[in-house]
């Protein structure tokens, strides 16, 4: 009789352990698929935004297309950056931006996407009828911070560096991180 009680007790404890183990495995698999879904969602949104951001006839022409991808504060900062004197001086000499590709890296814990973007831009020598046009491929590194607003991921902060991610790694001068420390406000462009 004592052996039957011990056996039932051990079977019950073993069953409880097995069920707990299966629940933990299910939870782990489920949470990983949620972060993979979020990673996929951030990557897709970043690609859509970068395509609209780097495809424009001229500075500011794409504002109506990028506004739905950005929070109001980020969009206001972008417009302020576009209206800076240095950007206004060169805006007529840099035309026809065309997005080519982006390598996008996602951090799901902080909802940040780091992208190395290649695009083509046409430079004109002057504003006359016989201007010379030169098209070249440019590369910029972009960091997009996202906020979830009404079940949509919107760009909350946009930071742009000239050059490739590899160049930034070399510029860190032996720092522990391969990504440079970001300073500044919502929208900035650093040389």
């Amino acid at each position: 009789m004592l052996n039957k009680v011990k056996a039932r007790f051990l079977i019950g404890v073993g069953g409880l352990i097995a069920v707990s183990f299966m629940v933990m495995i299910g939870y782990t698999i489920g949470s990983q698929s949620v972060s993979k879904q979020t990673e996929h969602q951030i990557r897709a949104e970043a690609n859509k935004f970068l395509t609209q951001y780097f495809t424009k006839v001229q500075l500011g022409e794409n504002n109506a297309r990028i506004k739905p991808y950005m929070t109001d504060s980020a969009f206001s900062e972008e417009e302020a950056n576009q209206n800076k004197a240095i950007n206004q001086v060169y805006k007529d000499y840099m035309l026809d931006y065309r997005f080519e590709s982006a390598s996008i890296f996602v951090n799901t814990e902080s909802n940040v996407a780091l992208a190395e973007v290649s695009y083509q831009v046409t430079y004109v020598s002057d504003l006359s009828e016989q201007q010379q046009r030169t098209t070249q491929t440019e590369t910029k590194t972009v960091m997009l911070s996202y906020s979830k607003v009404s079940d949509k991921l919107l760009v909350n902060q946009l930071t742009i560096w000239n050059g490739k991610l590899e160049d930034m790694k070399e510029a860190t001068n032996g720092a522990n991180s391969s990504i440079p420390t970001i300073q500044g406000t919502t929208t900035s462009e650093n040389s």
Side-chain angles (χ1 to χ4, degrees):
M1 178 119 139
L2 192 55
N3 288 338
K4 286 184 181 181
V5 171
K6 285 183 183 178
R8 285 185 182 167
F9 177 73
L10 289 175
I11 290 172
V13 170
L16 184 61
I17 290 172
V19 168
S20 298
F21 182 71
M22 287 192 295
V23 168
M24 286 189 331
I25 288 177
Y27 177 76
T28 303
I29 291 171
S31 66
Q32 285 179 349
S33 68
V34 167
S35 54
K36 288 290 184 192
Q37 180 182 13
T38 304
E39 180 179 342
H40 177 70
Q41 184 182 9
I42 291 172
R43 189 179 310 276
E45 288 299 318
N47 196 48
K48 287 182 205 173
F49 174 74
L50 292 170
T51 300
Q52 296 304 319
Y53 189 83
F54 285 99
T55 302
K56 56 192 168 198
V57 174
Q58 186 175 32
L59 181 69
E61 178 271 332
N62 61 339
N63 284 351
R65 292 191 312 270
I66 64 172
K67 186 172 177 33
Y69 296 99
M70 302 177 84
T71 62
D72 291 338
S73 62
F75 184 72
S76 296
E77 288 292 325
E78 176 61 26
E79 285 185 314
N81 187 47
Q82 290 173 5
N83 291 326
K84 286 181 181 176
I86 190 76
N87 291 330
Q88 290 298 311
V89 167
Y90 291 111
K91 109 178 192 181
D92 293 328
Y93 296 95
M94 299 168 65
L95 307 171
D96 220 12
Y97 297 75
R98 296 287 171 235
F99 173 85
E100 285 185 342
S101 65
S103 297
I104 302 171
F105 307 94
V106 177
N107 180 339
T108 55
E109 290 180 19
S110 58
N111 288 341
V112 170
L114 187 63
E116 185 177 281
V117 181
S118 294
Y119 62 98
Q120 285 190 348
V121 63
T122 301
Y123 293 94
V124 295
S125 58
D126 56 52
L127 300 178
S128 70
E129 293 291 322
Q130 290 147 353
Q131 61 190 347
Q132 290 183 338
R133 292 178 171 253
T134 305
T135 301
Q136 68 183 53
T137 299
E138 301 278 336
T139 302
K140 297 216 183 220
T141 301
V142 180
M143 187 182 84
L144 304 170
S145 295
Y146 281 92
S147 292
K148 196 158 194 155
V149 179
S150 302
D151 293 334
K152 291 172 85 175
L153 284 175
L154 299 178
V155 174
N156 189 40
Q157 183 177 8
L158 169 68
T159 307
I160 300 174
W161 296 275
N162 289 328
K164 296 181 178 185
L165 193 54
E166 281 181 15
D167 300 335
M168 292 171 55
K169 287 179 187 178
E170 293 172 11
T172 58
N173 295 330
N176 291 338
S177 174
S178 62
I179 300 173
T181 304
I182 299 168
Q183 299 175 354
T185 60
T186 303
T187 306
S188 62
E189 185 166 317
N190 302 322
S191 294

